[in-house]
Structures are given as C-alpha cells and as structure tokens.
Amino acid sequence: MKRLSALLILALLGTGASATTAPLTLRVEAVCVPLSVSAESVTVKCTRGSQAPADPRGFAGVPLGTWHLSGHGSSADGAELFTYRALESAANHVTFY
C-alpha cells in the first residue's frame, strides 16, 4: 500500500513536467434528517437550499397520519428547518369496539 501511494504521489507530481489542470465538478445532494419527532409535530433538518420533503413519514420514527408543512426556518449553522403538524381527522383515529 505504501509503495502504491508513493507511486501515485510521484505520478501526480511529475518530475520536472509542467503543471496540468483538470476540471473538477462537485454535486451536493440534499440530505434531510428528523431533528425532533412527536405525535403532534415533526421537525426535519435539511442541507442549506433544500426543498421541504413532501412527506415526513419517510423518516424513521414518524407516526402514521396526515402531515402538513406548517413552518420553515434556518438553524444557526445555515441548515433548513421544516416543521410539520399532524392533521386531526376521523381517518387518523381507530375506534375499537
């Protein structure tokens, strides 16, 4: 492994050759994680510039039900914060007899 690293460094540095440039393209994908989860609300933290996730139920620990986006803000580190609230409806309740 050390020999391979040394050969790679020598190949990159060259021996007296002129500098070569190569284009480098980086693409950053949106990453979202649940920040807080309760029966009434879910807050999701996403990378800066991200769109709100369409449905927070895709995250682990989020209860079943109907959720709607109720707020948007930014954290101190510049991340996007999206808050969802549970909608109360007869469809969200199960009655046992």
Side-chain angles (χ1 to χ4, degrees):
M1 185 69 174
K2 288 181 183 180
R3 183 178 180 149
L4 179 61
S5 297
L7 289 174
L8 182 60
I9 290 171
L10 289 174
L12 291 174
L13 293 177
T15 53
S18 61
T20 304
T21 60
L24 175 65
T25 303
L26 295 176
R27 189 176 86 183
V28 178
E29 302 250 345
V31 175
C32 297
V33 294
L35 192 59
S36 67
V37 177
S38 72
E40 298 83 27
S41 70
V42 174
T43 301
V44 178
K45 183 177 181 178
C46 299
T47 51
R48 185 184 332 203
S50 298
Q51 297 293 318
D55 190 350
R57 291 178 295 174
F59 297 107
V62 175
L64 294 178
T66 304
W67 297 89
H68 71 85
L69 183 63
S70 65
H72 172 256
S74 298
S75 65
D77 61 0
E80 307 288 341
L81 298 175
F82 301 103
T83 303
Y84 297 83
R85 297 273 179 220
L87 288 177
E88 288 296 325
S89 71
N92 290 346
H93 300 285
V94 177
T95 304
F96 292 97
Y97 293 98

